[in-house]
Amino acid sequence: MRFVKGCIVGAILFPAIVQAQMSIDDTIRVDEVAIYSTYRQSHTIGTNSFKVDSLKLKTFEGRNLSELLQSSGASIRTYGVGGLSSIALRGGSSVHTAVVWNGINLQSPMNGGVNLSQLPTMLFNSIKVQHGGNGTIYGSGAISGIVILESKSLLQQPNGIEVGTIYGDGHTRGVVASGKYGTQNLALSLKYNGTWADNDFEFINTYKFGNPRERISNAQAKLHGLMADVSVRIGQNSLWNFSGWLTSNDKNVQTLMSSYQASHANQVDNNYALSSNLVSELSKFSVRFKNAYVNAKNRYEDSTSNIYSNNRSKQLINEIELKKEVFSKSEIVAGVGHTIDMAKSDSYIKNAVRNRISAYASMVNRFFDSRVTVATSVRDELVDGDFIPVVASGGVELEVFKWMRLKASAATSYRLPTLNDLYWATTTFASGNPDLKPEHGWNADGGADFIVSLPAGRLSLSVTYYITELNDWIVWLPDANDNGRWKPDNFNHGKSNGIEGFLRFNIGSRRIKVISDLSYTYTNSKVYDIGDYDGKPMIYVPRHRVGGSFSLSYNGFSILYTHSFASERYTDDQNKLPYYNLGDAVLAYNFSLAGSKASISVGINNVWNEQYQLMRNYAMPLRNYFVRLNVEIQSKSTR
């Protein structure tokens, strides 16, 4: 414990000591955006990604990250209304997609996942999804993709406050509030989101005779989210940002569709994270310090099954990165990091502690007047005294014409066993495995981007072919040699290949603006060396997925329609979930109210009244409605 406390104190004081020694004569002004990102993000070359536009972010204030990404065409796995929700890309499972906040990987050290339903959308003003993994940039778990969450440009934002309220079917009530105050050198921002819901939506129960119309039961939820950001400009060459967020989720676990007895299960999650990011631009190089502390606490109770479980995890993260320009159009980034994973559970054989030390380097080169960009990177990690295999990546982008760019990338990745995998105590039904090896794999992309400038807008198209392979996949299966106990082991490997296409169109003038996007993903994903399931499609992975949105703004009015389609998905070696089409629509009107900006909106979820399930046996709502009111009081400057 003294060692951990010492690390925390040292993490806080070390950047300050170094900063005090930096010359105040250096006058290179650092870009504020750099404070929130790692330098390595700019070295992700040749990959396929999309960024959620600002209108959609605004429209989804008061809702969670799972709902936003679902509307954008991402593959979301949700255990009922407001239940455990995760994202899975390119045929991988949820533990193979990293969720990164201000450069910090939020994947739980206990189970490897991130519950997106616990993250209110309004806490972040930049959300980007990268398809394809890159272990050299983001470390363990970034195998199939990365969700990048950030807060940006706090010093440049105008001072002001905003409040809003939402009410909808399922007795859903919500409140959002945010405020920012500061100068060009010091700024503070606070954001809050609160949601209370009974979630007793109607659904058609296909698991019971006659397909009766019923209401979802035992799905009540209370969610609170709070985020604070402080940005400080130190002289002309340094920026220091402090961030902290807190989420509290009290959620009943809804009754299964096939059950004739109501569920009495409840889960409470309390999570918080603190981070410090210091960026300094010196005369010959740049330096960045990142420190973070992540704490997660979970309690699960089911009186019917007599199950009571308490779980807690902590992470302490310290990193330093250096960036230096070399030659005329090249730069090198190098860094080292130290992470301590700690966990405590009623189901563990003992308290778990894992030490990880990583080192990485990346280089970007630009040739032929920057028409060709090449990036290479390498990473290694020491885990509890043992080295894992080195991972590497490379990417290239070629500007053939002003309207056409070719791109390609390849990367190796890895995922460490979770602490649940390693430390689960032996019971009548399950047992952990301390001898697990890390998963490892590789992926490669190749494609092209096309951009056409229009008189009052732009049309862009991105097409990518990808292939991914993962080996030593950790799977929990019954062990016939140990009384049928469920155990994790490095059983199998998976292969995925497919095509991704993204089309975006925007055009506008002072009075009217149109934004439309369309995405299509074809995924051929199979798993091997896993008994009777050998050579069959991975579960819950649709072969075809389409997502699209259309927004129109005119004279204060705006309308947004989003649509997502997923084809059949296997749930095991014999059963499938049928395809679904989901549409959501929001109509909004912006107006002035006592000198302030205000908006009122009305929305319809599941416009086409689709009967569907994202996870087998968990009901999802039929058509439902909501109304929202927002008021914004804003200063004209940051002062």
Side-chain angles (χ1 to χ4, degrees):
M1 181 59 67
R2 290 182 179 178
F3 172 74
V4 173
K5 291 181 178 179
C7 289
I8 295 174
V9 173
I12 296 173
L13 293 181
F14 181 62
I17 294 171
V18 175
Q19 172 63 29
Q21 296 176 349
M22 293 179 179
S23 171
I24 61 175
D25 294 331
D26 295 317
T27 58
I28 301 175
R29 187 176 179 88
V30 64
D31 183 1
E32 187 185 354
V33 174
I35 198 169
Y36 298 96
S37 307
T38 64
Y39 290 143
R40 292 165 286 160
Q41 285 186 23
S42 62
H43 285 211
T44 305
I45 302 298
T47 60
N48 196 20
S49 63
F50 78 88
K51 185 175 181 179
V52 179
D53 65 74
S54 58
L55 176 60
K56 189 175 290 186
L57 281 176
K58 192 70 175 177
T59 303
F60 275 80
E61 282 188 357
R63 302 174 69 177
N64 61 54
L65 189 58
S66 172
E67 295 172 301
L68 171 67
L69 295 178
Q70 168 75 19
S71 74
S72 301
S75 181
I76 301 296
R77 302 173 181 180
T78 300
Y79 290 83
V81 185
L84 174 66
S85 181
S86 59
I87 184 172
L89 300 174
R90 290 190 172 180
S93 69
S94 58
V95 298
H96 298 135
T97 298
V99 179
V100 179
W101 168 64
N102 289 352
I104 302 165
N105 192 337
L106 297 179
Q107 287 176 295
S108 167
M110 298 187 74
N111 58 36
V114 177
N115 189 351
L116 301 179
S117 67
Q118 296 181 6
L119 297 177
T121 298
M122 63 95 60
L123 298 185
F124 317 102
N125 59 21
S126 175
I127 298 175
K128 184 170 73 171
V129 178
Q130 176 184 317
H131 292 248
N134 195 324
T136 61
I137 303 296
Y138 296 100
S140 173
I143 292 178
S144 299
I146 304 101
V147 179
I148 303 170
L149 312 173
E150 292 181 322
S151 304
K152 290 187 176 181
S153 306
L154 181 60
L155 294 176
Q156 300 172 14
Q157 295 176 15
N159 292 331
I161 60 174
E162 181 179 352
V163 294
T165 183
I166 186 172
Y167 182 82
D169 284 342
H171 200 209
T172 301
R173 297 90 68 203
V175 175
V176 295
S178 63
K180 182 262 176 177
Y181 180 77
T183 67
Q184 294 180 350
N185 296 314
L186 174 64
L188 167 67
S189 171
L190 290 173
K191 297 179 179 179
Y192 168 76
N193 183 103
T195 302
W196 302 261
D198 291 344
N199 289 325
D200 55 346
F201 298 98
E202 286 191 328
F203 73 100
I204 296 174
N205 197 334
T206 56
Y207 283 75
K208 295 181 180 179
F209 178 76
N211 297 336
R213 184 181 289 254
E214 299 181 354
R215 285 193 177 272
I216 296 172
S217 64
N218 197 58
Q220 298 88 343
K222 293 182 288 186
L223 173 64
H224 301 276
L226 178 68
M227 176 172 285
D229 282 297
V230 178
S231 288
V232 183
R233 184 178 295 280
I234 306 172
Q236 292 293 314
N237 67 323
S238 298
L239 285 171
W240 205 339
N241 173 261
F242 302 91
S243 298
W245 60 262
L246 167 71
T247 61
S248 177
N249 187 34
D250 186 343
K251 174 72 172 67
N252 289 342
V253 180
Q254 76 181 56
T255 305
L256 296 178
M257 297 173 67
S258 60
S259 177
Y260 286 86
Q261 181 180 3
S263 169
H264 293 91
N266 172 267
Q267 181 170 316
V268 177
D269 293 273
N270 292 302
N271 309 310
Y272 68 88
L274 304 171
S275 74
S276 165
N277 283 275
L278 171 64
V279 179
S280 291
E281 295 278 357
L282 305 180
S283 58
K284 295 183 179 180
F285 64 92
S286 304
V287 61
R288 177 182 174 278
F289 300 95
K290 180 180 73 178
N291 318 103
Y293 177 72
V294 183
N295 186 298
K297 188 176 181 180
N298 164 273
R299 186 187 77 235
Y300 178 86
E301 298 180 354
D302 186 349
S303 58
T304 303
S305 303
N306 199 30
I307 298 175
Y308 303 91
S309 178
N310 290 282
N311 309 282
R312 187 168 186 174
S313 67
K314 303 176 183 179
Q315 286 182 291
L316 181 63
I317 303 164
N318 298 294
E319 290 186 6
I320 180 172
E321 289 181 337
L322 300 177
K323 181 178 73 172
K324 180 176 177 58
E325 292 187 1
V326 293
F327 310 115
S328 58
K329 294 183 179 181
S330 302
E331 66 180 30
I332 295 176
V333 169
V336 294
H338 178 226
T339 299
I340 304 175
D341 298 326
M342 297 167 281
K344 181 179 180 180
S345 172
D346 295 340
S347 302
Y348 280 9
I349 55 176
K350 63 179 180 179
N351 292 346
V353 178
R354 179 165 61 189
N355 278 274
R356 300 157 52 191
I357 299 174
S358 59
Y360 47 86
S362 178
M363 185 173 185
V364 169
N365 299 280
R366 297 175 177 85
F367 308 99
F368 306 109
D369 295 326
S370 297
R371 296 184 63 180
V372 178
T373 303
V374 179
T376 54
S377 58
V378 64
R379 181 188 186 99
D380 199 8
E381 191 164 336
L382 181 69
V383 182
D384 287 335
D386 296 322
F387 282 101
I388 65 170
V390 176
V391 292
S393 67
V396 59
E397 294 182 359
L398 167 64
E399 183 183 308
V400 181
F401 307 104
K402 288 185 176 181
W403 52 270
M404 178 181 179
R405 181 177 60 186
L406 301 179
K407 59 184 182 181
S409 66
T412 53
S413 303
Y414 65 99
R415 186 180 76 87
L416 299 174
T418 68
L419 299 182
N420 284 359
D421 296 331
L422 299 171
Y423 288 91
W424 202 267
T426 299
T427 65
T428 305
F429 306 103
S431 176
N433 183 354
D435 299 321
L436 290 171
K437 298 179 293 184
E439 299 175 352
H440 61 94
W442 60 273
N443 63 275
D445 296 29
D449 294 336
F450 305 89
I451 300 175
V452 179
S453 296
L454 304 174
R458 192 173 76 159
L459 176 68
S460 62
L461 171 66
S462 176
V463 180
T464 303
Y465 173 81
Y466 70 87
I467 183 170
T468 300
E469 182 168 336
L470 179 63
N471 299 296
D472 290 325
W473 198 331
I474 298 172
V475 180
W476 285 71
L477 289 175
D479 187 350
N481 298 319
D482 190 12
N483 299 317
R485 284 191 180 93
W486 287 77
K487 289 184 177 181
D489 209 337
N490 300 102
F491 279 106
N492 62 319
H493 69 277
K495 294 182 179 180
S496 298
N497 66 286
I499 298 173
E500 296 169 338
F502 295 90
L503 176 68
R504 171 163 289 190
F505 168 79
N506 65 77
I507 188 169
S509 61
R510 296 182 61 181
R511 299 183 62 186
I512 187 170
K513 186 174 183 180
V514 175
I515 300 176
S516 182
D517 60 64
L518 179 68
S519 65
Y520 169 74
T521 303
Y522 168 80
T523 304
N524 179 27
S525 181
K526 294 184 179 181
V527 62
Y528 299 91
D529 302 333
I530 190 170
D532 294 338
Y533 206 79
D534 182 66
K536 295 186 178 181
M538 294 183 188
I539 61 173
Y540 292 107
V541 176
R543 178 155 292 195
H544 305 280
R545 175 171 286 279
V546 179
S549 69
F550 174 84
S551 65
L552 170 66
S553 302
Y554 177 73
N555 272 0
F557 287 93
S558 65
I559 184 170
L560 171 66
Y561 176 78
T562 62
H563 193 94
S564 60
F565 164 84
S567 61
E568 293 179 329
R569 291 142 291 148
Y570 279 89
T571 60
D572 53 39
D573 61 339
Q574 295 180 344
N575 298 292
K576 299 178 183 179
L577 287 177
Y579 72 86
Y580 65 79
N581 276 288
L582 287 179
D584 298 331
V586 179
L587 175 65
Y589 176 63
N590 300 296
F591 57 96
S592 295
L593 179 65
S596 303
K597 295 180 179 179
S599 67
I600 186 169
S601 56
V602 178
I604 307 175
N605 299 319
N606 195 356
V607 172
W608 312 115
N609 211 31
E610 185 83 336
Q611 169 193 319
Y612 72 104
Q613 299 167 55
L614 296 179
M615 299 297 290
R616 186 180 179 186
N617 217 357
Y618 286 87
M620 297 300 290
L622 295 173
R623 184 188 298 121
N624 59 93
Y625 307 86
F626 69 89
V627 61
R628 192 180 74 191
L629 174 67
N630 270 54
V631 178
E632 182 178 353
I633 304 173
Q634 191 177 96
S635 169
K636 294 182 179 180
S637 70
T638 58
R639 296 183 180 277

